[in-house]
Amino acid sequence: TQVKEGMIQGFKTVDKTVRTTKEALKPARQQLQKTIETLFISYHQLLINRALVEKQAALYETVLSTQNALYSQNMASAADVLNAQAALASAQVTLTQVDNGIAQLKSAIGIQLGWNVGNTPEIGPVPAPDINFVLTADKEADYKKAIDSLL
């Protein structure tokens, strides 16, 4: 019975240590969650920005084409063509920068979530908020369920 009591006491000590450790990690877990949320929001904002910059680049391609046609008919100056080329080049550089930002954010999300390096899972859109869920959700239970699934 002494062995049994010692084992029970040992389990109680381990349980208390685990609970204390989990409680100590709670702020770090919450910060990690906020970081990941911010990364996801930034990722989707960049996707929206990319679509806009892509349309801008297409517009500048049309402007350049138009300026070239006008120049060939002596209705535009060489400076007009050069300005159109510069605008298109700037939009293309911006598009490359946005693409690099998207890749960096996707990588950062993967690192935070423990994805294997080189894996490129699809990141879906952020769902529209469900006001009923927001009003009735148990945030602490959701955090606990998510964190426990990772441990």
Short mmCIF file of all heavy atoms in Angstrom, two decimals, residues 19-80:
data_model
loop_
_atom_site.label_atom_id
_atom_site.label_comp_id
_atom_site.label_asym_id
_atom_site.label_seq_id
_atom_site.Cartn_x
_atom_site.Cartn_y
_atom_site.Cartn_z
N ARG A 19 -0.43 20.97 -14.98
CA ARG A 19 -1.40 22.07 -14.93
C ARG A 19 -0.70 23.41 -14.76
O ARG A 19 -1.04 24.38 -15.41
CB ARG A 19 -2.42 21.84 -13.81
CG ARG A 19 -3.51 20.86 -14.23
CD ARG A 19 -4.63 20.75 -13.19
NE ARG A 19 -4.20 19.79 -12.17
CZ ARG A 19 -4.18 20.02 -10.87
NH1 ARG A 19 -4.58 21.16 -10.39
NH2 ARG A 19 -3.76 19.10 -10.03
N THR A 20 0.31 23.46 -13.90
CA THR A 20 1.06 24.69 -13.68
C THR A 20 1.78 25.11 -14.95
O THR A 20 1.79 26.29 -15.33
CB THR A 20 2.08 24.51 -12.53
OG1 THR A 20 1.38 24.12 -11.35
CG2 THR A 20 2.84 25.79 -12.26
N THR A 21 2.39 24.15 -15.63
CA THR A 21 3.10 24.43 -16.87
C THR A 21 2.14 24.93 -17.94
O THR A 21 2.43 25.91 -18.64
CB THR A 21 3.85 23.18 -17.36
OG1 THR A 21 4.74 22.75 -16.33
CG2 THR A 21 4.63 23.47 -18.63
N LYS A 22 0.99 24.29 -18.08
CA LYS A 22 0.00 24.72 -19.07
C LYS A 22 -0.46 26.14 -18.77
O LYS A 22 -0.61 26.95 -19.68
CB LYS A 22 -1.20 23.77 -19.09
CG LYS A 22 -0.96 22.51 -19.86
CD LYS A 22 -2.25 21.68 -19.95
CE LYS A 22 -2.07 20.47 -20.82
NZ LYS A 22 -3.32 19.71 -20.98
N GLU A 23 -0.66 26.44 -17.51
CA GLU A 23 -1.10 27.78 -17.13
C GLU A 23 -0.01 28.81 -17.43
O GLU A 23 -0.30 29.91 -17.89
CB GLU A 23 -1.47 27.80 -15.64
CG GLU A 23 -2.39 28.91 -15.23
CD GLU A 23 -3.69 28.99 -16.02
OE1 GLU A 23 -4.30 27.97 -16.36
OE2 GLU A 23 -4.11 30.14 -16.28
N ALA A 24 1.24 28.44 -17.20
CA ALA A 24 2.36 29.34 -17.48
C ALA A 24 2.51 29.59 -18.98
O ALA A 24 2.95 30.66 -19.40
CB ALA A 24 3.65 28.77 -16.91
N LEU A 25 2.14 28.59 -19.79
CA LEU A 25 2.26 28.72 -21.25
C LEU A 25 1.08 29.44 -21.89
O LEU A 25 1.12 29.79 -23.06
CB LEU A 25 2.41 27.33 -21.88
CG LEU A 25 3.72 26.61 -21.60
CD1 LEU A 25 3.68 25.21 -22.18
CD2 LEU A 25 4.89 27.39 -22.17
N LYS A 26 0.02 29.65 -21.13
CA LYS A 26 -1.19 30.25 -21.68
C LYS A 26 -0.94 31.58 -22.39
O LYS A 26 -1.39 31.77 -23.52
CB LYS A 26 -2.24 30.39 -20.58
CG LYS A 26 -3.60 30.79 -21.09
CD LYS A 26 -4.62 30.77 -19.96
CE LYS A 26 -5.99 31.10 -20.50
NZ LYS A 26 -7.00 31.04 -19.43
N PRO A 27 -0.21 32.54 -21.78
CA PRO A 27 0.04 33.80 -22.49
C PRO A 27 0.82 33.59 -23.80
O PRO A 27 0.53 34.25 -24.81
CB PRO A 27 0.86 34.63 -21.50
CG PRO A 27 0.56 34.05 -20.17
CD PRO A 27 0.31 32.59 -20.41
N ALA A 28 1.77 32.68 -23.80
CA ALA A 28 2.54 32.41 -25.02
C ALA A 28 1.63 31.81 -26.09
O ALA A 28 1.74 32.15 -27.27
CB ALA A 28 3.70 31.48 -24.72
N ARG A 29 0.74 30.94 -25.69
CA ARG A 29 -0.21 30.34 -26.64
C ARG A 29 -1.11 31.41 -27.24
O ARG A 29 -1.37 31.41 -28.44
CB ARG A 29 -1.08 29.29 -25.94
CG ARG A 29 -0.37 28.04 -25.57
CD ARG A 29 -1.32 27.10 -24.88
NE ARG A 29 -0.61 25.97 -24.31
CZ ARG A 29 -1.06 25.23 -23.34
NH1 ARG A 29 -2.24 25.48 -22.81
NH2 ARG A 29 -0.36 24.22 -22.90
N GLN A 30 -1.60 32.29 -26.40
CA GLN A 30 -2.48 33.36 -26.89
C GLN A 30 -1.73 34.28 -27.84
O GLN A 30 -2.28 34.69 -28.87
CB GLN A 30 -3.07 34.14 -25.71
CG GLN A 30 -4.08 33.33 -24.92
CD GLN A 30 -4.53 34.01 -23.64
OE1 GLN A 30 -3.86 34.89 -23.12
NE2 GLN A 30 -5.67 33.58 -23.13
N GLN A 31 -0.47 34.58 -27.53
CA GLN A 31 0.33 35.42 -28.41
C GLN A 31 0.57 34.72 -29.74
O GLN A 31 0.50 35.34 -30.79
CB GLN A 31 1.67 35.79 -27.74
CG GLN A 31 2.52 36.71 -28.59
CD GLN A 31 1.84 38.02 -28.89
OE1 GLN A 31 1.23 38.62 -28.03
NE2 GLN A 31 1.95 38.48 -30.11
N LEU A 32 0.85 33.43 -29.68
CA LEU A 32 1.05 32.66 -30.91
C LEU A 32 -0.21 32.67 -31.76
O LEU A 32 -0.15 32.85 -32.98
CB LEU A 32 1.45 31.22 -30.57
CG LEU A 32 1.67 30.28 -31.75
CD1 LEU A 32 2.77 30.78 -32.66
CD2 LEU A 32 2.00 28.88 -31.24
N GLN A 33 -1.35 32.52 -31.13
CA GLN A 33 -2.61 32.54 -31.87
C GLN A 33 -2.80 33.90 -32.55
O GLN A 33 -3.18 33.96 -33.72
CB GLN A 33 -3.79 32.25 -30.96
CG GLN A 33 -5.11 32.30 -31.73
CD GLN A 33 -6.33 32.18 -30.85
OE1 GLN A 33 -6.22 32.13 -29.64
NE2 GLN A 33 -7.48 32.13 -31.46
N LYS A 34 -2.55 34.97 -31.83
CA LYS A 34 -2.70 36.31 -32.41
C LYS A 34 -1.73 36.50 -33.57
O LYS A 34 -2.08 37.10 -34.59
CB LYS A 34 -2.47 37.39 -31.34
CG LYS A 34 -3.50 37.41 -30.26
CD LYS A 34 -4.86 37.80 -30.80
CE LYS A 34 -5.88 37.82 -29.67
NZ LYS A 34 -7.23 37.90 -30.15
N THR A 35 -0.51 35.99 -33.42
CA THR A 35 0.47 36.10 -34.50
C THR A 35 -0.01 35.38 -35.75
O THR A 35 0.06 35.91 -36.86
CB THR A 35 1.83 35.52 -34.04
OG1 THR A 35 2.28 36.27 -32.91
CG2 THR A 35 2.86 35.56 -35.14
N ILE A 36 -0.52 34.17 -35.58
CA ILE A 36 -1.00 33.40 -36.72
C ILE A 36 -2.21 34.08 -37.35
O ILE A 36 -2.32 34.16 -38.58
CB ILE A 36 -1.30 31.94 -36.31
CG1 ILE A 36 0.01 31.24 -35.95
CG2 ILE A 36 -2.03 31.19 -37.42
CD1 ILE A 36 -0.15 29.88 -35.33
N GLU A 37 -3.12 34.59 -36.54
CA GLU A 37 -4.27 35.31 -37.07
C GLU A 37 -3.81 36.50 -37.91
O GLU A 37 -4.33 36.74 -39.01
CB GLU A 37 -5.17 35.81 -35.94
CG GLU A 37 -5.98 34.72 -35.27
CD GLU A 37 -6.74 35.22 -34.05
OE1 GLU A 37 -6.64 36.41 -33.69
OE2 GLU A 37 -7.44 34.39 -33.43
N THR A 38 -2.84 37.24 -37.40
CA THR A 38 -2.32 38.41 -38.12
C THR A 38 -1.68 37.98 -39.44
O THR A 38 -1.87 38.64 -40.48
CB THR A 38 -1.30 39.16 -37.25
OG1 THR A 38 -1.97 39.59 -36.05
CG2 THR A 38 -0.74 40.38 -37.96
N LEU A 39 -0.93 36.88 -39.42
CA LEU A 39 -0.31 36.38 -40.65
C LEU A 39 -1.36 36.01 -41.69
O LEU A 39 -1.22 36.32 -42.88
CB LEU A 39 0.59 35.17 -40.35
CG LEU A 39 1.90 35.46 -39.61
CD1 LEU A 39 2.58 34.16 -39.21
CD2 LEU A 39 2.82 36.32 -40.45
N PHE A 40 -2.43 35.33 -41.24
CA PHE A 40 -3.50 34.95 -42.18
C PHE A 40 -4.18 36.18 -42.76
O PHE A 40 -4.44 36.25 -43.98
CB PHE A 40 -4.54 34.06 -41.49
CG PHE A 40 -4.24 32.59 -41.59
CD1 PHE A 40 -3.54 31.94 -40.59
CD2 PHE A 40 -4.66 31.86 -42.68
CE1 PHE A 40 -3.26 30.59 -40.68
CE2 PHE A 40 -4.39 30.51 -42.80
CZ PHE A 40 -3.68 29.87 -41.79
N ILE A 41 -4.46 37.16 -41.94
CA ILE A 41 -5.11 38.38 -42.42
C ILE A 41 -4.20 39.09 -43.41
O ILE A 41 -4.65 39.51 -44.49
CB ILE A 41 -5.50 39.29 -41.24
CG1 ILE A 41 -6.64 38.65 -40.44
CG2 ILE A 41 -5.89 40.68 -41.72
CD1 ILE A 41 -6.90 39.28 -39.09
N SER A 42 -2.93 39.22 -43.08
CA SER A 42 -1.98 39.87 -43.98
C SER A 42 -1.86 39.12 -45.30
O SER A 42 -1.79 39.73 -46.37
CB SER A 42 -0.60 39.97 -43.31
OG SER A 42 -0.67 40.77 -42.17
N TYR A 43 -1.84 37.80 -45.22
CA TYR A 43 -1.75 36.96 -46.42
C TYR A 43 -2.93 37.26 -47.36
O TYR A 43 -2.75 37.50 -48.56
CB TYR A 43 -1.72 35.49 -46.03
CG TYR A 43 -1.72 34.53 -47.19
CD1 TYR A 43 -0.55 34.22 -47.86
CD2 TYR A 43 -2.90 33.92 -47.62
CE1 TYR A 43 -0.54 33.33 -48.93
CE2 TYR A 43 -2.90 33.04 -48.68
CZ TYR A 43 -1.72 32.74 -49.33
OH TYR A 43 -1.73 31.87 -50.40
N HIS A 44 -4.12 37.27 -46.80
CA HIS A 44 -5.30 37.50 -47.64
C HIS A 44 -5.39 38.95 -48.13
O HIS A 44 -5.86 39.19 -49.24
CB HIS A 44 -6.57 37.08 -46.90
CG HIS A 44 -6.68 35.58 -46.81
ND1 HIS A 44 -6.98 34.79 -47.89
CD2 HIS A 44 -6.47 34.73 -45.79
CE1 HIS A 44 -6.98 33.52 -47.54
NE2 HIS A 44 -6.65 33.46 -46.27
N GLN A 45 -4.89 39.89 -47.36
CA GLN A 45 -4.83 41.27 -47.84
C GLN A 45 -3.88 41.38 -49.03
O GLN A 45 -4.16 42.08 -50.00
CB GLN A 45 -4.39 42.21 -46.72
CG GLN A 45 -5.46 42.49 -45.70
CD GLN A 45 -4.97 43.32 -44.53
OE1 GLN A 45 -3.80 43.26 -44.16
NE2 GLN A 45 -5.86 44.08 -43.93
N LEU A 46 -2.75 40.67 -48.95
CA LEU A 46 -1.81 40.70 -50.07
C LEU A 46 -2.41 40.04 -51.32
O LEU A 46 -2.13 40.49 -52.43
CB LEU A 46 -0.50 40.00 -49.70
CG LEU A 46 0.55 40.88 -49.03
CD1 LEU A 46 1.82 40.09 -48.73
CD2 LEU A 46 0.89 42.09 -49.87
N LEU A 47 -3.21 39.01 -51.15
CA LEU A 47 -3.87 38.40 -52.31
C LEU A 47 -4.80 39.41 -52.99
O LEU A 47 -4.86 39.48 -54.23
CB LEU A 47 -4.65 37.16 -51.90
CG LEU A 47 -3.83 35.94 -51.48
CD1 LEU A 47 -4.77 34.79 -51.08
CD2 LEU A 47 -2.88 35.50 -52.58
N ILE A 48 -5.51 40.17 -52.18
CA ILE A 48 -6.39 41.21 -52.73
C ILE A 48 -5.56 42.28 -53.44
O ILE A 48 -5.87 42.70 -54.56
CB ILE A 48 -7.27 41.82 -51.61
CG1 ILE A 48 -8.27 40.79 -51.13
CG2 ILE A 48 -7.97 43.08 -52.10
CD1 ILE A 48 -8.99 41.16 -49.84
N ASN A 49 -4.47 42.71 -52.78
CA ASN A 49 -3.58 43.71 -53.38
C ASN A 49 -2.98 43.20 -54.69
O ASN A 49 -2.83 43.95 -55.64
CB ASN A 49 -2.46 44.10 -52.42
CG ASN A 49 -2.95 44.92 -51.26
OD1 ASN A 49 -4.07 45.43 -51.28
ND2 ASN A 49 -2.14 45.05 -50.24
N ARG A 50 -2.66 41.90 -54.72
CA ARG A 50 -2.07 41.33 -55.93
C ARG A 50 -3.04 41.45 -57.09
O ARG A 50 -2.65 41.79 -58.21
CB ARG A 50 -1.69 39.86 -55.71
CG ARG A 50 -0.91 39.32 -56.90
CD ARG A 50 -0.75 37.83 -56.91
NE ARG A 50 0.20 37.42 -57.92
CZ ARG A 50 -0.04 37.47 -59.25
NH1 ARG A 50 -1.19 37.93 -59.70
NH2 ARG A 50 0.89 37.08 -60.11
N ALA A 51 -4.30 41.15 -56.85
CA ALA A 51 -5.30 41.25 -57.92
C ALA A 51 -5.39 42.69 -58.43
O ALA A 51 -5.50 42.90 -59.65
CB ALA A 51 -6.66 40.78 -57.41
N LEU A 52 -5.31 43.65 -57.54
CA LEU A 52 -5.37 45.06 -57.95
C LEU A 52 -4.13 45.45 -58.75
O LEU A 52 -4.24 46.11 -59.79
CB LEU A 52 -5.51 45.97 -56.73
CG LEU A 52 -6.82 45.86 -55.95
CD1 LEU A 52 -6.77 46.69 -54.68
CD2 LEU A 52 -7.99 46.29 -56.82
N VAL A 53 -2.96 45.04 -58.29
CA VAL A 53 -1.72 45.37 -58.99
C VAL A 53 -1.68 44.68 -60.35
O VAL A 53 -1.19 45.25 -61.33
CB VAL A 53 -0.49 45.00 -58.13
CG1 VAL A 53 0.80 45.16 -58.90
CG2 VAL A 53 -0.46 45.87 -56.87
N GLU A 54 -2.20 43.47 -60.41
CA GLU A 54 -2.25 42.75 -61.69
C GLU A 54 -3.13 43.50 -62.69
O GLU A 54 -2.77 43.64 -63.87
CB GLU A 54 -2.79 41.35 -61.44
CG GLU A 54 -2.55 40.38 -62.57
CD GLU A 54 -2.91 38.96 -62.17
OE1 GLU A 54 -3.91 38.76 -61.44
OE2 GLU A 54 -2.18 38.05 -62.59
N LYS A 55 -4.26 44.01 -62.23
CA LYS A 55 -5.14 44.81 -63.11
C LYS A 55 -4.45 46.11 -63.52
O LYS A 55 -4.57 46.55 -64.66
CB LYS A 55 -6.47 45.11 -62.41
CG LYS A 55 -7.36 43.90 -62.30
CD LYS A 55 -8.65 44.22 -61.57
CE LYS A 55 -9.49 42.95 -61.44
NZ LYS A 55 -10.73 43.18 -60.74
N GLN A 56 -3.71 46.70 -62.59
CA GLN A 56 -2.98 47.93 -62.89
C GLN A 56 -1.92 47.65 -63.97
O GLN A 56 -1.78 48.44 -64.91
CB GLN A 56 -2.33 48.46 -61.62
CG GLN A 56 -1.64 49.79 -61.78
CD GLN A 56 -0.99 50.26 -60.50
OE1 GLN A 56 -0.52 49.45 -59.70
NE2 GLN A 56 -0.96 51.56 -60.30
N ALA A 57 -1.21 46.55 -63.85
CA ALA A 57 -0.19 46.20 -64.85
C ALA A 57 -0.84 45.98 -66.21
O ALA A 57 -0.30 46.41 -67.24
CB ALA A 57 0.59 44.96 -64.41
N ALA A 58 -1.99 45.31 -66.22
CA ALA A 58 -2.69 45.09 -67.49
C ALA A 58 -3.12 46.43 -68.10
O ALA A 58 -3.03 46.62 -69.33
CB ALA A 58 -3.90 44.19 -67.27
N LEU A 59 -3.56 47.34 -67.27
CA LEU A 59 -3.94 48.67 -67.75
C LEU A 59 -2.74 49.39 -68.34
O LEU A 59 -2.83 49.97 -69.44
CB LEU A 59 -4.54 49.50 -66.60
CG LEU A 59 -4.85 50.96 -66.93
CD1 LEU A 59 -5.97 51.04 -67.96
CD2 LEU A 59 -5.22 51.71 -65.67
N TYR A 60 -1.59 49.31 -67.67
CA TYR A 60 -0.38 49.96 -68.18
C TYR A 60 0.11 49.31 -69.47
O TYR A 60 0.70 49.98 -70.32
CB TYR A 60 0.72 50.00 -67.13
CG TYR A 60 0.46 51.00 -66.02
CD1 TYR A 60 0.70 50.68 -64.70
CD2 TYR A 60 -0.05 52.26 -66.30
CE1 TYR A 60 0.46 51.60 -63.68
CE2 TYR A 60 -0.30 53.18 -65.29
CZ TYR A 60 -0.04 52.84 -63.99
OH TYR A 60 -0.28 53.75 -62.99
N GLU A 61 -0.11 48.01 -69.64
CA GLU A 61 0.22 47.36 -70.91
C GLU A 61 -0.63 47.94 -72.03
O GLU A 61 -0.13 48.21 -73.14
CB GLU A 61 0.00 45.85 -70.81
CG GLU A 61 1.06 45.13 -70.02
CD GLU A 61 0.79 43.62 -69.88
OE1 GLU A 61 -0.19 43.11 -70.46
OE2 GLU A 61 1.57 42.97 -69.18
N THR A 62 -1.90 48.16 -71.75
CA THR A 62 -2.81 48.77 -72.74
C THR A 62 -2.38 50.20 -73.04
O THR A 62 -2.37 50.61 -74.21
CB THR A 62 -4.27 48.74 -72.22
OG1 THR A 62 -4.63 47.39 -71.95
CG2 THR A 62 -5.23 49.32 -73.23
N VAL A 63 -2.03 50.94 -72.00
CA VAL A 63 -1.58 52.33 -72.20
C VAL A 63 -0.31 52.34 -73.05
O VAL A 63 -0.19 53.15 -73.98
CB VAL A 63 -1.33 53.02 -70.84
CG1 VAL A 63 -0.60 54.35 -71.02
CG2 VAL A 63 -2.63 53.23 -70.09
N LEU A 64 0.62 51.44 -72.77
CA LEU A 64 1.86 51.38 -73.56
C LEU A 64 1.55 51.04 -75.01
O LEU A 64 2.10 51.66 -75.93
CB LEU A 64 2.83 50.36 -72.96
CG LEU A 64 4.14 50.16 -73.74
CD1 LEU A 64 4.91 51.47 -73.87
CD2 LEU A 64 4.99 49.09 -73.07
N SER A 65 0.68 50.07 -75.20
CA SER A 65 0.30 49.70 -76.57
C SER A 65 -0.32 50.89 -77.30
O SER A 65 -0.01 51.16 -78.47
CB SER A 65 -0.67 48.52 -76.52
OG SER A 65 -1.08 48.18 -77.81
N THR A 66 -1.18 51.60 -76.60
CA THR A 66 -1.83 52.78 -77.19
C THR A 66 -0.79 53.86 -77.50
O THR A 66 -0.82 54.47 -78.59
CB THR A 66 -2.90 53.33 -76.22
OG1 THR A 66 -3.86 52.30 -75.98
CG2 THR A 66 -3.59 54.55 -76.80
N GLN A 67 0.12 54.11 -76.57
CA GLN A 67 1.15 55.12 -76.80
C GLN A 67 2.05 54.74 -77.98
O GLN A 67 2.43 55.61 -78.77
CB GLN A 67 1.99 55.34 -75.54
CG GLN A 67 1.27 56.03 -74.42
CD GLN A 67 0.79 57.42 -74.79
OE1 GLN A 67 1.38 58.13 -75.59
NE2 GLN A 67 -0.33 57.81 -74.20
N ASN A 68 2.37 53.45 -78.09
CA ASN A 68 3.18 52.99 -79.24
C ASN A 68 2.43 53.23 -80.55
O ASN A 68 3.02 53.67 -81.54
CB ASN A 68 3.56 51.53 -79.10
CG ASN A 68 4.74 51.32 -78.19
OD1 ASN A 68 5.64 52.15 -78.12
ND2 ASN A 68 4.75 50.21 -77.46
N ALA A 69 1.12 52.92 -80.56
CA ALA A 69 0.32 53.13 -81.77
C ALA A 69 0.24 54.62 -82.10
O ALA A 69 0.38 55.02 -83.28
CB ALA A 69 -1.08 52.55 -81.58
N LEU A 70 0.05 55.46 -81.09
CA LEU A 70 -0.02 56.90 -81.32
C LEU A 70 1.33 57.44 -81.79
O LEU A 70 1.41 58.31 -82.67
CB LEU A 70 -0.47 57.62 -80.05
CG LEU A 70 -1.93 57.40 -79.63
CD1 LEU A 70 -2.20 58.02 -78.27
CD2 LEU A 70 -2.88 57.98 -80.69
N TYR A 71 2.41 56.91 -81.24
CA TYR A 71 3.75 57.35 -81.62
C TYR A 71 4.03 57.00 -83.08
O TYR A 71 4.61 57.80 -83.81
CB TYR A 71 4.79 56.71 -80.70
CG TYR A 71 6.22 57.11 -81.02
CD1 TYR A 71 6.69 58.38 -80.67
CD2 TYR A 71 7.08 56.24 -81.67
CE1 TYR A 71 7.99 58.76 -80.96
CE2 TYR A 71 8.38 56.60 -81.97
CZ TYR A 71 8.83 57.86 -81.61
OH TYR A 71 10.12 58.23 -81.91
N SER A 72 3.59 55.82 -83.49
CA SER A 72 3.82 55.40 -84.89
C SER A 72 3.05 56.29 -85.87
O SER A 72 3.40 56.35 -87.05
CB SER A 72 3.44 53.93 -85.08
OG SER A 72 2.04 53.77 -85.00
N GLN A 73 2.03 56.96 -85.38
CA GLN A 73 1.24 57.87 -86.23
C GLN A 73 1.60 59.34 -85.95
O GLN A 73 0.86 60.24 -86.33
CB GLN A 73 -0.24 57.64 -85.99
CG GLN A 73 -0.71 56.26 -86.38
CD GLN A 73 -2.16 56.00 -85.99
OE1 GLN A 73 -2.84 56.87 -85.46
NE2 GLN A 73 -2.62 54.80 -86.27
N ASN A 74 2.71 59.54 -85.24
CA ASN A 74 3.18 60.88 -84.86
C ASN A 74 2.16 61.66 -84.04
O ASN A 74 2.08 62.88 -84.12
CB ASN A 74 3.58 61.69 -86.11
CG ASN A 74 4.81 61.12 -86.77
OD1 ASN A 74 5.71 60.65 -86.09
ND2 ASN A 74 4.83 61.14 -88.10
N MET A 75 1.39 60.95 -83.22
CA MET A 75 0.39 61.60 -82.37
C MET A 75 0.80 61.57 -80.90
O MET A 75 0.07 62.06 -80.04
CB MET A 75 -0.97 60.93 -82.56
CG MET A 75 -1.51 61.07 -83.98
SD MET A 75 -3.05 60.20 -84.25
CE MET A 75 -4.18 61.17 -83.27
N ALA A 76 1.94 60.96 -80.60
CA ALA A 76 2.48 60.94 -79.24
C ALA A 76 3.99 61.08 -79.34
O ALA A 76 4.59 60.74 -80.35
CB ALA A 76 2.12 59.63 -78.54
N SER A 77 4.58 61.57 -78.26
CA SER A 77 6.03 61.78 -78.26
C SER A 77 6.74 60.53 -77.72
O SER A 77 6.12 59.66 -77.11
CB SER A 77 6.38 63.00 -77.41
OG SER A 77 6.10 62.72 -76.04
N ALA A 78 8.03 60.52 -77.94
CA ALA A 78 8.85 59.43 -77.38
C ALA A 78 8.77 59.45 -75.85
O ALA A 78 8.80 58.39 -75.21
CB ALA A 78 10.29 59.56 -77.87
N ALA A 79 8.64 60.64 -75.29
CA ALA A 79 8.52 60.76 -73.84
C ALA A 79 7.24 60.09 -73.34
O ALA A 79 7.23 59.46 -72.27
CB ALA A 79 8.55 62.23 -73.42
N ASP A 80 6.17 60.21 -74.11
CA ASP A 80 4.91 59.55 -73.73
C ASP A 80 5.08 58.03 -73.70
O ASP A 80 4.59 57.35 -72.79
CB ASP A 80 3.78 59.92 -74.71
CG ASP A 80 3.39 61.38 -74.65
OD1 ASP A 80 3.55 61.99 -73.57
OD2 ASP A 80 2.93 61.92 -75.69
#
